[in-house]
Amino acid sequence: MKGENINIMDYESIMENIKKENGEVPNPIQVLGDLDESLVVNHMMDKKFVMSKGAIPGKYKALMLLSAAIALDSQACIMMNTKAAKKSGATVEEIMEVFALAKFAKAATTLSNAAPAFEWLLENK
């Protein structure tokens, strides 16, 4: 059967690993686990799956995840992915450049989303 070789992770081990890697378990993960441990296990299996792919080096995956966390306004994920990027070999300069890129992307999205309002203002001066 496909996927048989994936090691099933258990909830307690996952929580210990998260705490070991990050110094703490981010509140959203803790609360989710308190409500339904299987959702945390599934989330971390998904992470393990995408991180196991080899086409993109781990450092760049960590930086991309950080950029997405910034753009999506996830404070816990920003902290977690900043730590992961640094641990994966990213320099402070690379991490700060990701912050600048994500800020620009978010600003560009804001401008794009506001375009209909701008058009309305032009028509209704």
Side-chain angles (χ1 to χ4, degrees):
M1 176 190 271
K2 267 189 168 178
E4 266 184 53
N5 59 349
I6 295 175
N7 295 330
I8 301 300
M9 303 164 77
D10 69 271
Y11 178 75
E12 295 302 323
S13 296
I14 288 169
M15 298 305 268
E16 286 174 23
N17 287 338
I18 291 172
K19 188 171 183 176
K20 181 180 174 185
E21 289 177 11
N22 299 289
E24 65 181 343
V25 175
N27 190 53
I29 296 289
Q30 184 64 58
V31 173
L32 180 63
D34 291 345
L35 292 169
D36 188 340
E37 293 178 358
S38 69
L39 293 174
V40 173
V41 172
N42 183 269
H43 180 67
M44 297 311 290
M45 290 293 292
D46 287 346
K47 179 182 177 183
K48 185 176 180 178
F49 173 75
V50 298
M51 296 305 280
S52 72
K53 300 295 180 188
I56 300 171
K59 175 174 113 172
Y60 299 115
K61 288 179 186 181
L63 291 169
M64 287 190 292
L65 287 169
L66 174 58
S67 183
I70 295 165
L72 295 170
D73 292 323
S74 176
Q75 187 176 15
C77 292
I78 291 169
M79 180 57 81
M80 204 165 163
N81 287 305
T82 297
K83 291 176 181 180
K86 187 79 171 109
K87 188 175 179 180
S88 295
T91 65
V92 171
E93 292 80 13
E94 288 171 323
I95 292 169
M96 295 312 298
E97 191 168 330
V98 165
F99 275 92
L101 287 165
K103 180 181 156 282
F104 172 75
K106 189 161 191 148
T109 300
T110 301
L111 291 173
S112 178
N113 288 339
F118 296 157
E119 291 169 359
W120 183 87
L121 287 171
L122 285 172
E123 295 169 4
N124 296 280
K125 282 186 173 181

